[in-house]
Amino acid sequence: MRSPHSPGHPPPSVPDREEVRDWRGRRYSVGPSARTLTGVPRSVVLARALVAAAAVGVLQFGYGAAVPTLVAAHGWSPAAALLPFLVWTLVQGACAPALYRLGRRRELRAGALIQAGALLCAAALVVLGASSGLTAAVLGYGVLGGAGAGLVYHSCTDLVGGWFPDRRTVRSGAVGGAFALGSVPLLPAIAAGTAPASLPWACASLAALVLVLGVAGGAGQRSAPPRWWPPGASDPRAVALLRSADPPPAADFTHAQAWSAGGSLPLLHAVVALSGAGGLFVLAALPVLLVEGGHPPAAVAPAIAAFAAGSGLGRLAAGAAAERAGRRRILALLLGAAALALTGLSASAGSPAAAVLLALAAGAGTGSCYPLTRAITEGHFGSRWTAGIHGLVYSSKAVGGLVGVGGAALLLATAPPAAWPTGLVGAGALCGVAALLAALLRRPLPVRTTPAAHGVWTPPRRRAPM
């Protein structure tokens, strides 16, 4: 009788995988390749994720431009027309922790989540165009659309982060960039408006486009194995020893340890909430504020498109810049620039060119917050639980939506039109506070305990200089 491993019975093929540890004890599983695991290279995984993220970004970046059309078609006031978007921001931001738990349990594949999210987004657009009832719009666009956009955005970000651990900051920033840039070609047409009778047809056409691109972007997508590292790339042990603008994390913190290790995590929550409030206020109210500020309608669409383009380009460039100059410094600098740009935007009446340039700068500052806070989260608390901890941080966008979009609705409903441009000054002040808080971020050191004769002794918390 031959043994299973005799020449007549070759051993089964086992994927080439190597378990290694770096100098801090972190484990990596090098290989097998993405093509072996999924049938396609990493570049295809990234391209599909970018397509799906670009498809659903119009639900965030195009809504403010569509407010005048919704007012004319459904008879809503400008403040009431912002209520579906307010609920959308609450749901899209707050669903990040729940999606992380689904991913950890492996109950659904990333591709299925992306495709389900695209379907919900398409349904939300159909409801927004076909129903004139505000309650139906809030439930359809706000709840369904917010959940769908959250499914697509967070699934794509975590998916790309898992397959690109060697360039996680840059590649995750590319997903955010696609989320913003995907709406830029459509914004001029949305801002130009459509006849009230044609609104259902226009929303249905946009829904079909979102659905097709979202389903294509989610096709065949699978999450990377835990601690996966691409074979053929840089040795993870060598990468851990490389010097960079930011020091490596002191350890892999759990959620509870991250909360107890100083003030870094609460500060990250505050930065996302404040910068999100400023950016979402601009998205919700900029078209109306520019018109009331003296800009001709033809100049409104370029300014809105410039804000979305700046947000996308800022997310793309922030990651690469942060690798050279430091994440905290770049984040504080960009948020400070956004604060100045929003303040200047409130006084740019009569100068369409200045409005476009200032909107571009404001978009770059507010948009870069999301990929940079994710990178800071990994740099402060390690890569093992980055997705879960950053899911908590990103959920602060719900607070930003409540303040930013809710503040825009309140301003349009109660303040006289002459006072509306001052809302941009308030949005700039929020970004300014976020910049100050970002400058205070420091990398925490782990809190260690050792047995003592009477109980457990815990040394005082310490913080690294960066």
Side-chain angles (χ1 to χ4, degrees), residues 1-12:
M1 180 176 180
R2 295 179 178 178
S3 65
H5 300 296
S6 63
H9 294 273

Side-chain angles (χ1 to χ4, degrees), residues 55-464:
V56 302
V58 68
L59 274 77
Q60 173 172 317
F61 289 90
Y63 191 90
V67 165
T69 301
L70 295 174
V71 170
H74 297 324
W76 300 337
S77 66
L82 290 178
L83 289 180
F85 187 48
L86 171 61
V87 177
W88 186 95
T89 59
L90 294 175
V91 176
Q92 192 266 344
C95 69
L99 294 177
Y100 167 74
R101 293 189 183 95
L102 282 176
R104 290 285 292 178
R105 294 175 183 175
R106 305 277 177 174
E107 294 180 358
L108 291 173
R109 287 189 177 184
L113 292 174
I114 293 171
Q115 292 175 333
L119 179 61
L120 291 176
C121 290
L125 289 169
V126 171
V127 172
L128 184 68
S131 176
S132 60
L134 187 59
T135 302
V138 168
L139 294 176
Y141 192 90
V143 178
L144 295 182
L151 281 170
V152 175
Y153 178 83
H154 301 305
S155 298
C156 289
T157 302
D158 293 339
L159 178 77
V160 170
W163 286 114
F164 290 87
D166 49 334
R167 297 298 304 278
R168 185 177 282 115
T169 300
V170 175
R171 296 296 182 257
S172 298
V175 174
F179 183 72
L181 292 174
S183 63
V184 172
L186 301 173
L187 284 175
I190 295 174
T194 184
S198 302
L199 182 62
W201 176 87
C203 288
S205 300
L206 183 58
L209 178 64
V210 169
L211 181 60
V212 170
L213 294 179
V215 170
Q221 297 283 48
R222 295 175 56 189
S223 299
R227 301 186 303 275
W228 181 83
W229 191 271
S234 302
D235 191 315
R237 294 166 292 189
V239 172
L241 291 171
L242 291 177
R243 298 187 63 182
S244 62
D246 292 296
D252 284 326
F253 289 72
T254 65
H255 295 67
Q257 290 169 341
W259 275 113
S260 63
S264 177
L265 191 54
L267 280 177
L268 284 169
H269 277 272
V271 168
V272 172
L274 291 170
S275 62
L280 291 170
F281 177 89
V282 175
L283 286 176
L286 183 61
V288 177
L289 298 184
L290 288 178
V291 171
E292 291 296 329
H295 293 277
V300 174
I304 299 170
F307 184 84
S311 182
L313 296 174
R315 298 177 198 221
L316 289 172
E323 289 183 349
R324 296 174 175 83
R327 307 173 186 119
R328 176 175 59 88
R329 295 188 184 96
I330 294 297
L331 177 59
L333 178 65
L334 289 175
L335 288 176
L340 296 176
L342 289 173
T343 303
L345 194 59
S346 66
S348 63
S351 178
V356 169
L357 293 176
L358 291 170
L360 186 69
T366 56
S368 65
C369 174
Y370 300 107
L372 286 179
T373 51
R374 183 184 181 90
I376 291 173
T377 299
E378 181 179 355
H380 283 194
F381 307 116
S383 59
R384 185 173 181 182
W385 288 286
T386 295
I389 297 174
H390 183 260
L392 294 175
V393 173
Y394 189 92
S395 66
S396 299
K397 181 183 177 180
V399 179
L402 183 63
V403 175
V405 182
L410 184 64
L411 179 72
L412 296 180
T414 60
W420 288 355
T422 60
L424 292 172
V425 178
L430 294 177
C431 291
V433 175
L436 295 176
L437 295 180
L440 298 177
L441 288 167
R442 295 294 185 274
R443 183 176 65 98
L445 294 178
V447 177
R448 303 184 184 276
T449 60
T450 57
H454 302 286
V456 176
W457 173 78
T458 301
R461 291 175 181 144
R462 299 173 295 157
R463 295 188 300 177

